[in-house]
Amino acid sequence: MAYSTNLKIELIDTGAQAGTWGTTTNTNLGTALEQAIVGSVNIAFSSADVTLTLNNSNAAQDARALRLNLTGTSGGARNLYLGSGCQINKLYIVNNGLADAVTVQNYITGSPSGTSVSVPAGKTMLVYNTSANIVDAVTHLTSLTLGSALAATSGGTGNSSYTVGDILYASTTTALSTLAGVATGNALISGGVGAAPSYGKIGLTTHVNGTLPSANGGTGLTSFTSGGAVYATSTSALTTGTLPVASGGTGQTTLTANNVLLGNGTSAIQSVAPGTSGNLLTSNGTTWQSTALTATTVSNAYAGLTAGNVGTVMMGKWSGTSGTIAFGDTVSGSALTPANAAGDSSGSAQSGTWRCLGFADGDAKSGQDAKVTLWIRTI
Amino acid sequence: MKTVDDVKDMRYTTESGDSIDCMVKFADISDYVPFGATPYDPEDYGRQIYTDCRNGVYGPVAPYTPPGIPVVEIT
C-alpha cells in the first residue's frame, strides 16, 4: 500500500481493495484527514522530553493532529521532538499547558535537527514544520486588535489610552505607567535610581552641574574674592579680585588714611603720605612728594609769578571817591592801579580780585595818597 | 583753570573798554566776588571772562561812565 507524503493518507491503487475501499476511504476521511484538520490530542509529559512519530497508517496518530495540547508535569524546560516520519510539511497549534517552556524541534537519527520554536508555559503558538525546521507559522499581521492592552511583559505598554503630553516610564520591573504633563517650563527630573521620575523646576543648587560660562551669560567663576570686584579681563572672560587701574580701579585693597594718590600708568596707584605737619606736596620733576616748606620753595614760587598773577602783592591806588577799604576787604582789580606812596598812579587798571592789606580812604579831603595801600591778588 | 558759573553787574571802567568791572560766581567759591576783567590778565580765566563779557555771554555790559569831579571841602 502507498501513503501520502505528509499526512500518511492511505492511497488506494486503481482497482484495488474491491469491496473494502470504502472502509479505507472512510478511515482516510473520517480519521486521518479530520484529525489533521481539526484534531486535538493531549501530549502527556512526565518530567521528561516527548518524541512523536508518524507512520504510514491512516489510523489516528498524535503527530497528525492539528493541535497538540501539552499536559502533565514538565519538571523543567522540556522538548517536544518530532521524530521518525514527522519530517513533513505541517502546521501545528501547540498549547503548552505545562509549568515550563517546551521547545518543538525535529529529531532525526537520534539527534535534534534544524531550528526550533520554544513555546512558553501557559501559551499557545502556531508553528510550522518545513520538514527540516520548526518555525513560527505567522510572522506578520497586516493589522491586529487585542481585546486588552498588550502587557509590558509582552513588549507592549499595558495602556490603552493616553492624555496628550503623557510620557511613559517603568513604574515596576514589569509595568509602564504614564506621567502626566504639567505647566510649561517644568523639566523632567530623575527620582533617582529605581525611583519614578517627576516634573519640577531645576534646582540650581542641587540639579545643575558645572559653571555657567560668560559666553552663556554666567561668570565662569565658582568663587569670589571677598570684598573684591568681578571684572572683565577680556571680551569673553571675567575674574574676581582687586579692581586694577586698567579696569577703573586702584589696584589696591587698602588706602592709607590721608595719603594722596598718584597715578602709575596701568600699574596699581601709588600714594604719598602727609609726612611732617606743614609739609607741601611738591614735584621733583618726575613725581610728587611730601616735603618741608623751605625758603627755596617759596622763592621758586615767587620767581615763577608774573606781575598781576594771583598772589601778586602790589602797592595800588584805589579809585573809590568815598568811603574806605579796610584790611581784608576785597575789591575788583578794575578799581586799582599801581601807585607809589605819594599817591601817584601809573599803568592800567588791574585784573581779578584783590584783598586789601592795609587801609584806603576814598574821601577827597584825605588826599590821593590816602587811597594808596598794599594789595594782594587773591582770585 | 577756574570754572566760572556766572557773571553779573558788568560795566566798563575805562573809555577804551579794556577793563570791565563785574561780579563773578566761581564754582569753588560760594558767593559772587568783585572781579576786574581785562584782556591783559596774566591769568587765563581772567582773559576768558573778559572775552565772554565782550561777546555778551552774560548779557550786555553797562557803558563806561566818566568819574564825576570830586567835591573838596574848603576849609
Side-chain angles (χ1 to χ4, degrees):
Chain A
M1 290 184 290
Y3 291 85
S4 65
T5 303
N6 292 307
L7 295 180
K8 312 304 182 190
I9 304 297
E10 183 176 341
L11 303 177
I12 303 172
D13 293 333
T14 303
Q17 299 187 27
T20 61
W21 63 269
T23 300
T24 299
T25 299
N26 287 340
T27 301
N28 280 341
L29 296 175
T31 298
L33 287 179
E34 182 158 311
Q35 185 181 36
I37 295 172
V38 298
S40 175
V41 295
N42 291 332
I43 307 298
F45 281 74
S46 296
S47 300
D49 296 338
V50 172
T51 301
L52 301 181
T53 59
L54 187 61
N55 301 310
N56 285 332
S57 169
N58 58 6
Q61 298 185 75
D62 289 346
R64 187 192 287 125
L66 173 66
R67 180 173 181 264
L68 304 177
N69 185 40
L70 311 187
T71 62
T73 302
S74 53
R78 294 299 170 196
N79 296 296
L80 174 61
Y81 290 126
L82 300 179
S84 175
C86 294
Q87 282 69 55
I88 60 174
N89 296 315
K90 187 172 187 320
L91 178 69
Y92 288 104
I93 299 172
V94 180
N95 177 47
N96 184 1
L98 302 179
D100 300 288
V102 174
T103 299
V104 182
Q105 191 172 19
N106 278 303
Y107 195 86
I108 302 173
T109 61
S111 299
S113 177
T115 60
S116 62
V117 170
S118 177
V119 182
K123 305 301 180 186
T124 301
M125 293 184 65
L126 281 172
V127 300
Y128 186 76
N129 188 355
T130 66
S131 77
N133 298 300
I134 306 299
V135 298
D136 286 315
V138 178
T139 59
H140 174 77
L141 296 173
T142 301
S143 64
L144 176 65
T145 300
L146 300 177
S148 60
L150 185 63
T153 52
S154 296
T157 65
N159 297 301
S160 57
S161 66
Y162 299 93
T163 299
V164 174
D166 284 353
I167 62 171
L168 291 175
Y169 69 95
S171 51
T172 71
T173 57
T174 57
L176 295 175
S177 295
T178 57
L179 179 62
V182 296
T184 301
N186 286 280
L188 186 62
I189 300 173
S190 168
V193 177
S198 63
Y199 282 110
K201 301 297 184 186
I202 299 298
L204 296 180
T205 58
T206 56
H207 296 160
V208 176
N209 188 26
T211 304
L212 190 62
S214 58
N216 296 94
T219 63
L221 302 172
T222 57
S223 63
F224 299 90
T225 300
S226 178
V230 175
Y231 59 94
T233 56
S234 70
T235 58
S236 60
L238 297 175
T239 191
T240 177
T242 303
L243 193 63
V245 172
S247 297
T250 64
Q252 302 282 7
T253 56
T254 62
L255 296 174
T256 303
N258 303 315
N259 275 16
V260 177
L261 303 182
L262 301 178
N264 191 24
T266 56
S267 300
I269 62 170
Q270 297 175 329
S271 64
V272 175
T276 304
S277 176
N279 273 13
L280 297 178
L281 190 64
T282 59
S283 167
N284 63 6
T286 301
T287 187
W288 295 91
Q289 54 198 5
S290 174
T291 58
L293 177 63
T294 65
T296 301
T297 304
V298 174
S299 64
N300 287 346
Y302 274 107
L305 283 178
T306 296
N309 271 132
V310 171
T312 298
V313 176
M314 176 187 73
M315 180 79 87
K317 183 179 181 180
W318 178 47
S319 62
T321 57
S322 62
T324 58
I325 300 296
F327 178 81
D329 288 348
T330 57
V331 300
S332 167
S334 61
L336 300 177
T337 51
N340 61 20
D344 301 323
S345 63
S346 177
S348 301
Q350 294 301 298
S351 308
T353 302
W354 294 74
R355 176 171 292 136
C356 180
L357 299 179
F359 175 75
D361 186 351
D363 195 329
K365 65 181 181 182
S366 300
Q368 294 299 304
D369 55 346
K371 297 182 179 183
V372 178
T373 189
L374 201 59
W375 306 84
I376 183 171
R377 182 173 179 180
T378 56
I379 301 174
Chain B
M1 186 74 170
K2 294 179 75 65
T3 300
V4 175
D5 289 343
D6 188 31
V7 180
K8 66 179 182 180
D9 301 339
M10 299 82 73
R11 66 178 181 86
Y12 288 107
T13 60
T14 61
E15 190 169 8
S16 64
D18 63 354
S19 176
I20 298 174
D21 183 55
C22 55
M23 298 294 288
V24 178
K25 172 66 179 68
F26 290 100
D28 57 348
I29 300 175
S30 60
D31 295 321
Y32 283 85
V33 295
F35 194 87
T38 67
Y40 46 79
D41 189 341
E43 301 292 352
D44 293 343
Y45 60 89
R47 294 194 302 276
Q48 187 63 51
I49 291 172
Y50 176 81
T51 300
D52 289 345
C53 287
R54 293 278 292 185
N55 291 336
V57 171
Y58 303 106
V61 180
Y64 168 69
T65 302
I69 299 173
V71 177
V72 178
E73 186 178 348
I74 300 173
T75 57

